[in-house]
Amino acid sequence: MTIKLSTGTRNGLAGTSGYGALFANGIIYIYSGPQPLTADAAPTGTLLGIVTKDGGAFTPGSPTNGLTFAAVADGAITKSTDNWKFTGLAAGTAGWFRQVGNAADSLAASTTAVRMDGSVGTNGADLNLSNLSVAVGSPNTIDVFRFTIPAQ
């Protein structure tokens, strides 16, 4: 597992915001290649797709088509019953993801942006896809998403 939290996310979690509030109605970017050294860094690799509700168009600052979560239980938050989908924007092999909040994020290097980076795989990764090969125009779904705050 290779979860990396941005400085903005860590500050929010340590302050008055929880994970669900920080990332409510945000989106997930799927990239090829290795993830950057920190979630504060600009993305690396090729943008393969943008995960939204039903694969719909997303406008930062608007909840429309942003990703939502189920109620928290046992220190974990999971995706809602909404369909989390993306359509391939470029062909490549998924390697990592960046989750961002609902606010506009230029994706440039930032210590204030709310971000979480993680690995993508087919099993045992931070985000598992049924197939890592992304084709242009091909639909893909995120069936399971879970973020857990460990007890120890």
Side-chain angles (χ1 to χ4, degrees):
M1 303 285 180
T2 52
I3 290 291
K4 297 177 183 178
L5 303 176
S6 69
T7 302
T9 300
R10 292 183 300 118
N11 288 344
L13 290 172
T16 59
S17 300
Y19 177 90
L22 289 170
F23 291 103
N25 298 306
I27 57 175
I28 297 174
Y29 295 98
I30 306 288
Y31 290 94
S32 66
Q35 54 187 111
L37 293 178
T38 73
D40 290 335
T44 57
T46 301
L47 176 61
L48 301 177
I50 302 171
V51 181
T52 63
K53 178 183 174 187
D54 294 321
F58 174 78
T59 302
S62 168
T64 303
N65 297 322
L67 304 175
T68 59
F69 302 100
V72 175
D74 297 323
I77 193 166
T78 59
K79 71 180 274 307
S80 67
T81 58
D82 291 341
N83 293 317
W84 289 18
K85 296 173 65 175
F86 72 96
T87 300
L89 299 174
T93 302
W96 69 281
F97 73 90
R98 173 164 285 171
Q99 183 177 19
V100 301
N102 186 263
D105 185 341
S106 69
L107 300 178
S110 171
T111 58
T112 58
V114 173
R115 302 172 177 165
M116 181 177 75
D117 292 355
S119 63
V120 174
T122 55
N123 186 23
D126 301 312
L127 180 65
N128 295 312
L129 300 176
S130 60
N131 184 352
L132 298 181
S133 183
V134 176
V136 175
S138 176
N140 300 272
T141 61
I142 308 298
D143 297 323
V144 177
F145 185 90
R146 178 182 183 94
F147 181 78
T148 303
I149 303 293
Q152 299 181 21

